[in-house]
Amino acid sequence: MKVIETIAEMKELRLRLAKPVGLVPTMGYLHEGHLALVRQARVENSSVVVSIFVNPTQFDRREDFKQYPRDPQRDLALLEKEKTDIIFMPSADEMYPPPFSSWVEVGKLAERLEGASRPGHFRGVVTVVAKLFNIVQPTRAYFGQKDAQQAVVIKRTVADLNMNLEIVTVPTVREPDGLAMSSRNICLSPEERQAATVLYRALCLAQQLYSQGETNAQCLRQEMTELIQNEQLASIDYVSVADPETLEELDKASPPALVSLAVKIGNTRLIDNVVLK
Ligand code: AMP
């Protein structure tokens, strides 16, 4: 396993990598969710590159960026076990040397849901992902269904800009009680950790109500909202039942609608989703 910190070295090494090449972009502080992406990349490709980069341009609050959990030594040990070929770990200066000034803008898709709550978030995400694609030139890149809108937005960009790779989406990995694994879960106190199960409970409620015949999307949003409001430590950012491609809110729910939510538990903002079956 090689750890690479410069773009020049990464590009040079890429020329000698066995193809196909799978790329797993991450912000580090790895958990089983990330490792599921790495394992799938390992099965489907001859070489696996994992990037670890806490991307400053996708955080709307400087504090959030500074407080994002980091543990590179532990990450390297986990990736070694997964037989990762290359870890690309550039610094912020390496990725954004002055006078950096070009951005990838995604339009409407990036303005809904997460984009509405976190202005500029997807501009930062898609720009850094486009840079990683140019540097690593992967055959395939792996993204988690946990960040459903991110996967939709990146697929849109890849199609719109004729990028030469396949985007693979990997199912969400959950804790035994349903909480989606996230690097941010470490920020929850024991009481908040317990309260955080409300996200998945609300998503399951929507699926259950739909299975029992409720197709009114507003009713589904309302029932989820009431369930979450019963949890004292939770405050809702959004609750959505949307078209899985356009991300527009639906009047009538039907599979494969994207049921998603963002909820703050104490000071920690968590997101999760299910695809209606
Ligand atoms: P992050 O480090 O949070 O930027 O995540 C890196 C990648 O891992 C993204 O494509 C995420 O969607 C994915 N990911 C994060 N958590 C999970 C999870 N619980 N299950 C599956 N994929 C995940």
Side-chain angles (χ1 to χ4, degrees), residues 73-88:
Q73 289 318 314
R74 185 171 151 275
D75 290 346
L76 296 189
L78 288 170
L79 292 172
E80 177 103 62
K81 277 199 209 135
E82 301 301 331
K83 304 196 171 20
T84 306
D85 297 292
I86 295 181
I87 297 172
F88 180 49

Side-chain angles (χ1 to χ4, degrees), residues 88-99:
F88 180 49
M89 269 175 93
S91 67
D93 283 345
E94 180 74 6
M95 290 296 270
Y96 297 105

Side-chain angles (χ1 to χ4, degrees), residues 175-192:
E175 300 286 358
D177 64 5
L179 177 67
M181 291 200 178
S182 164
S183 307
R184 293 178 194 270
N185 293 350
I186 187 81
C187 306
L188 300 167
S189 70
E191 212 188 350
E192 289 169 346

Side-chain angles (χ1 to χ4, degrees), residues 22-26 29-45 48 50 78-79 81-82 84 141-146 168-174 181:
L23 170 68
V24 182
T26 81
Y29 211 75
L30 303 180
H31 50 66
E32 282 295 316
H34 298 110
L35 298 182
L37 273 60
V38 177
R39 285 173 197 143
Q40 189 163 335
R42 183 70 280 170
V43 169
E44 296 176 354
N45 300 277
V48 174
V50 175
L78 288 170
L79 292 172
K81 277 199 209 135
E82 301 301 331
T84 306
Y142 294 78
F143 293 88
Q145 176 63 24
K146 153 93 173 15
V168 182
T169 314
V170 179
T172 303
V173 178
R174 300 181 180 282
M181 291 200 178

Side-chain angles (χ1 to χ4, degrees), residues 142-167:
Y142 294 78
F143 293 88
Q145 176 63 24
K146 153 93 173 15
D147 298 277
Q149 184 179 13
Q150 174 170 278
V152 171
V153 164
I154 289 168
K155 281 181 183 163
R156 180 79 268 137
T157 306
V158 165
D160 288 350
L161 301 185
N162 310 102
M163 293 176 169
N164 255 333
L165 79 162
E166 183 192 341
I167 301 299

